[in-house]
Amino acid sequence: MTERTHEFQAEVAKLLDIVTHSLYSEKEIFLRELISNASDACDRLRYEALTRPELIKDDPEFKVVISVDEKAQLLTIMDNGIGMTEQEMIDNLGTIARSGTSRFSAALTGDAVKDVTLIGQFGVGFYSAFMVADKVTVTSRKAGEEGATVWTSEGHGSFSTEPAERSGRGTTIVLHLRKEAKEYLEPARLRQIVKTYADHIAIPVVLKGDGETEEGETLNSASALWTRAKSEITEEQYTEFYRHAGQAFDTPWLTLHSRAEGRIEYTMLLFIPGQPPFDLFNPERKSRLKLYVKRVFITDDCEELIPAYLRFLRGVVDSEDLPLNVSREMLQHNPVLQKIRNGLVKKVLGELEKKATKEADGFAGFWENFGAVLKEGIYEDAVNGERILKIALFNNTASDKKTSLADYISRMKEGQDAIYYITGDDLGALKSSPQLEGFAAKGVEVLLLTDAIDSFWLSRISEFDGKPFKSVTRGAADLDKLADKESDGKETPAVDNAEMDSLIALFKTALEGKVKDVRVSSRLTGSSVCLVADDGDMDIHLEKMLKAHKQLGGAMENLRILELNPRHMLIRKLASSVRKNGSSEALKDAALLLLDQAHIIEGDPVADPAAFSRRMANFMAGGIPA
C-alpha cells in the first residue's frame, strides 16, 4: 500500500490554524457539522438509488452511528451514505469550494474568535473537527465501487491518503480527541448535543458505547422536520434545521413553514437568512433550496424551483406530485414544478409585504442585506416586478433612512410631476454630484441609486403610481416651475444673456466633436460645469457600465451636453473676457479644461493627460485675460 502526502490548499491551512488556536466557546458544533455532512451523504445516495437500486440492495436502511472508545479517546461518526473516492476526498477535504475561496480569504479578519465563525458560512464545517481533535482519520468507500481510501491529517500543513479496507459503502470519521475534549466521550453529553443540533435529521442518529454490538440508542426523532405540525416545532429546532439546510451559523430572519393542498400538494420550509450568504453575488446566481419528492432528496441545484432574485432563500420544498424518478433534465419543463415555483414566489412576496407594512425597522434590515438581489426581480419578473417595486427601499437626499416610492411621492413638492433619481457606483460620490445642486436648492428630493441592477430595471419601468421616473443627469432640468427654498437674498447675479451667448459660441467651437451641445444650466448652483445626457440618449451611468462590460456592441458612444453655471465666478470671468477680448487660445484651453473637469467629476479618465497637464500649467501661469 502506498501512502501519498498532499499539501492543504492555502485557504484551508489558514482555516485550520484559526480552528486549532481558537478559544471558540461552542466547540460542540463540530458534531452538528459532521452529522449534517453524513445526513447529506445518505440523501445523495438515496437519490442515486432511484435509478440504481443495486447500490443500496445489501444495506437499505440509512443511519448515522456515533461510537466512543474512552480508553483510546476516540470518537467515531460513521454513515452508510454515498461515500467518496480518493480524488473526491482530496477535493472535498483538502480544499475549500472554489466559488468561495477568494471570498473566504477576503473575509478573514485576523481575530481567531471571529474568523472561526466563517466555518459554517463557507460550507466547510468538516474542519471544525480539529477544534476537539489533534488527529482526524477518514475512511470512505464510494457506493458501487470496491476499493476504499483512508485520509489522515493532524490539522497542520498537509494530509495523506492511501488505500484501505472497508466492508461496505459510506464514510467513517475517527477523531483522536484532545485531553481537554474528553467530555465528548460521555453518552449524556452526546445525547444533549444531538438533541439540540440534530433532532431534525431525517435518518436515525444512533449512539453506541464502548464495545457495544447491539442496535444502540437512537438519539433523534428521525423524521423530516417539515412534515411535523408547526405547533410541535420549537424556534430552536427551526434554527438548527436552517443551519443544517443552509450550512449557516446565523439565525434566520424569517421562517415560512406551510403546506399547499389542492390540485398540487407540497410542503415548504423556507428561511430568509439573518446575514447575507457568502455566494449571494456569485455570477452563477444559483438557488440553494433543497428539492424533495415524498421525503426523498432529489437535488439542491434546481434553477426552476425559485427565481434567481430569491436565491438568498434557504430550506426545503417537498412535493407529493413530482415523479420519484424525476431527472434534472425533466425538471426544466415540468408544469408541476412551475406551479410550485409560482406558489413559492407568491408566498414569499406576501410575507415580505406584511413585514414592510407592520415591521418597518426589521424590513429595513432585510432590505439592507438582500434588496440589491430582490430588485433583480423588478427587471426580470414581468408578473411580480411591480409588487417588488412597491416594497423597495431607496437611498435619497432627504434623509439618511431609505424610503419607499409611496413615501417619496407623499413628500413631492407642489408642481413636481416626476420621481427624480441619479445612478452611480458610490453613494458618497452621488451625494456630492453637481447635478443635484439645483434640486437641492429647490428642496426637491432625489433617489440615490447605487445597485448595478437599478439602471436596468429603470430601462423597463417608466413610472410608478402615474409619476414618471426622470434622471437628473439626462435632459434639461425643468426646475423653474418649482418654488425656491427660502434664501438669504444674496444670490450671485447671472451673466447677462448676450455675454453668455458669446461664451457658449466660443465653447461650441473649441469643443466641436467632443460634446453634443453647450448650454446654460438650471441645475447647477455651486459648481461651474457638469455633463448630462440628451433626452433621447442612454443614461450616463448605464452607458459606462455597458462599456466596461463590452456590451455596447458596435454602437458609438454618445456625446454629452456640457452645461455651464452662469452664476459661477469662473464662468462670469470667462464671459467677461470674451466680451472684452474676443476669442483666444487661453479661452479655448479653458473650455477644454472645464470639459476635462466635468469628466473627472463623473469618474471618467482624462482623455489626454499630457494635454490636460499642459493646459493646466499654462492656465495657472497666465490666468484669464482681463
Side-chain angles (χ1 to χ4, degrees), residues 245-287:
Q247 291 187 316
F249 268 54
D250 61 317
T251 300
W253 177 71
L254 180 65
T255 300
L256 302 175
H257 186 188
S258 65
R259 178 175 176 81
E261 297 179 331
R263 295 180 63 184
I264 295 177
E265 294 187 3
Y266 61 90
T267 301
M268 68 174 82
L269 177 49
L270 308 180
F271 303 92
I272 294 178
Q275 298 175 359
F278 78 95
D279 59 351
L280 188 61
F281 292 101
N282 190 300
E284 294 180 345
R285 304 201 306 161
K286 283 188 175 182
S287 163

Side-chain angles (χ1 to χ4, degrees), residues 459-480:
S459 68
R460 195 179 77 80
I461 305 290
S462 59
E463 64 175 38
F464 178 82
D465 199 18
K467 305 293 183 183
F469 289 104
K470 187 165 185 179
S471 170
V472 302
T473 65
R474 184 165 59 193
D478 187 14
L479 297 173
D480 293 337

